[in-house]
Amino acid sequence: MGIEGSASIKEILAQLNGEFPMDEAVIEVLFSPELTLNLEEVLPRNNTFVSVESYGSSAWTITGKVIARDFDGAKKAYFLKVAYGEHGRIMLNGEWESSKAIYELIPGCIPEPTGSGRYKLEEPATWFYLCEFVVMDLDTAPDPVEFTAKISELHKTSRSPTGKFGFHATTCDGKIPHEFDLEANGPWPEFERATAQVITKVVPHLLSALQTGGNVGINTKTGDSILYDAGSYYAHNEMDLGEWRLEFSSVFRSKQYTHHYLQNYAAAEPTDEFDDRNRLYSLKGAINYSAGHPGSPLRKT
């Protein structure tokens, strides 16, 4: 399969001629021990691979549905993402690490992560992320009370394990990696003085890092909201709300979501500057979205 590293997902799908790119590495994950909530102890999984088919669509990955049969003969479905090259590795490893962090804190907030890694196929370099398959309603807006209670719980119960901003793995907003190297551009005294006021006073919390369109659905089995496509990092909790302000956030731009969130997690001091911070925090999402979507109207704002 002669897939070029610079090929788009549409071009790759055309080259595949409808055949889903499955690999033994995914099947091995189905047989590997299953992580418990503390992500340390293991339980036997012992699944048998049954089938795989294309499912859904993605701008940056190939997505599919894997069917396996567990030890007692019952069928179980998994959601599989496949991507290529170094950029694919960064995206899917970041989602794997983000999903584990969120799931450990609030099971049911995100599909249970199952495994991630590289295909055994040497060329092209192919990477995958496998998780629980959840049937989602992507057309119905999440209930503002239920959803914001869940997000505020994630923020309240999480703490950066190092006490620092950022994340232990590179994660992405869409296809754009999050960069946290404050020294990458050399000394900048004015910027360093400004950031010091934040870094020394703000407690970094784990963010759901809602991306384009919200990456939130309704679990049709439970009726609760559920996150997907995680690209988390530790930062001021109000950073998450900055994404809700953006033009493309058609659902979360409704002020009721921010209102209900602040009922659960009060605005930081000074409270009268909350809207200014919210506008500032929205710039990150706006810049990343415009960078990943040439021709976007956001490039004009």
Side-chain angles (χ1 to χ4, degrees):
M1 181 171 57
I3 294 175
E4 299 294 334
S6 59
S8 68
I9 289 299
K10 286 184 178 180
E11 292 169 335
I12 292 172
L13 288 171
Q15 294 179 48
L16 291 172
N17 293 319
E19 180 179 350
F20 193 89
M22 189 60 169
D23 188 86
E24 282 290 328
V26 179
I27 298 174
E28 287 184 0
V29 169
L30 297 173
F31 283 93
S32 67
E34 184 172 5
L35 299 176
T36 59
L37 294 185
N38 62 19
L39 302 179
E40 294 177 355
E41 299 179 2
V42 297
L43 300 171
R45 185 178 285 133
N46 298 325
N47 288 326
T48 302
F49 171 70
V50 176
S51 65
V52 64
E53 63 181 0
S54 295
Y55 186 95
S57 62
S58 169
W60 323 117
T61 64
I62 296 172
T63 54
K65 181 180 182 181
V66 176
I67 301 297
R69 200 179 298 276
D70 66 19
F71 65 92
D72 63 2
K75 287 186 176 180
K76 184 174 181 178
Y78 296 85
F79 187 70
L80 175 63
K81 281 186 171 183
V82 179
Y84 298 93
E86 178 62 9
H87 185 254
R89 182 194 69 79
I90 292 172
M91 280 196 304
L92 297 188
N93 182 66
E95 182 170 358
W96 162 244
E97 296 294 341
S98 298
S99 298
K100 286 193 297 181
I102 293 173
Y103 191 86
E104 186 175 11
L105 288 169
I106 310 179
C109 184
I110 198 165
E112 182 178 8
T114 304
S116 182
R118 179 172 177 166
Y119 273 16
K120 292 181 178 296
L121 178 72
E122 290 189 9
E123 294 294 338
T126 307
W127 306 86
F128 73 94
Y129 170 64
L130 189 71
C131 67
E132 171 191 12
F133 185 90
V134 176
V135 179
M136 300 182 194
D137 174 2
L138 301 180
D139 297 320
T140 303
D143 177 77
V145 175
E146 183 268 338
F147 174 72
T148 56
K150 184 174 293 182
I151 296 301
S152 61
E153 180 185 358
L154 175 65
H155 292 163
K156 288 179 179 179
T157 57
S158 63
R159 290 290 188 279
S160 170
T162 63
K164 297 181 179 180
F165 290 72
F167 202 62
H168 64 277
T170 301
T171 60
C172 295
D173 183 347
K175 72 172 186 177
I176 308 299
H178 292 126
E179 300 290 349
F180 295 100
D181 186 357
L182 298 180
E183 300 177 358
N185 296 314
W188 187 359
E190 295 84 359
F191 179 73
E192 291 164 10
R193 286 195 294 270
T195 56
Q197 297 179 47
V198 175
I199 292 173
T200 58
K201 295 181 180 180
V202 175
V203 177
H205 297 278
L206 184 65
L207 303 189
S208 60
L210 299 183
Q211 300 173 24
T212 309
N215 54 297
V216 180
I218 304 299
N219 185 330
T220 59
K221 186 176 181 179
T222 66
D224 293 335
S225 60
I226 186 166
L227 304 172
Y228 61 93
D229 287 353
S232 299
Y233 53 93
Y234 291 96
H236 186 200
N237 62 293
E238 291 180 10
M239 275 290 293
D240 255 350
L241 280 62
E243 299 279 349
W244 301 2
R245 188 188 191 103
L246 297 174
E247 293 178 30
F248 58 71
S249 185
S250 57
V251 172
F252 298 107
R253 287 191 76 188
S254 170
K255 293 183 178 180
Q256 61 180 329
Y257 287 95
T258 299
H259 169 77
H260 284 291
Y261 177 90
L262 295 176
Q263 300 301 304
N264 293 291
Y265 201 142
E269 295 290 346
T271 57
D272 60 347
E273 294 180 5
F274 170 80
D275 191 63
D276 293 332
R277 291 194 300 272
N278 187 247
R279 184 181 295 109
L280 175 65
Y281 290 160
S282 73
L283 291 177
K284 174 261 184 187
I287 292 171
N288 278 1
Y289 183 83
S290 63
H293 297 78
S296 166
L298 283 178
R299 293 192 172 195
K300 300 177 182 179
T301 59

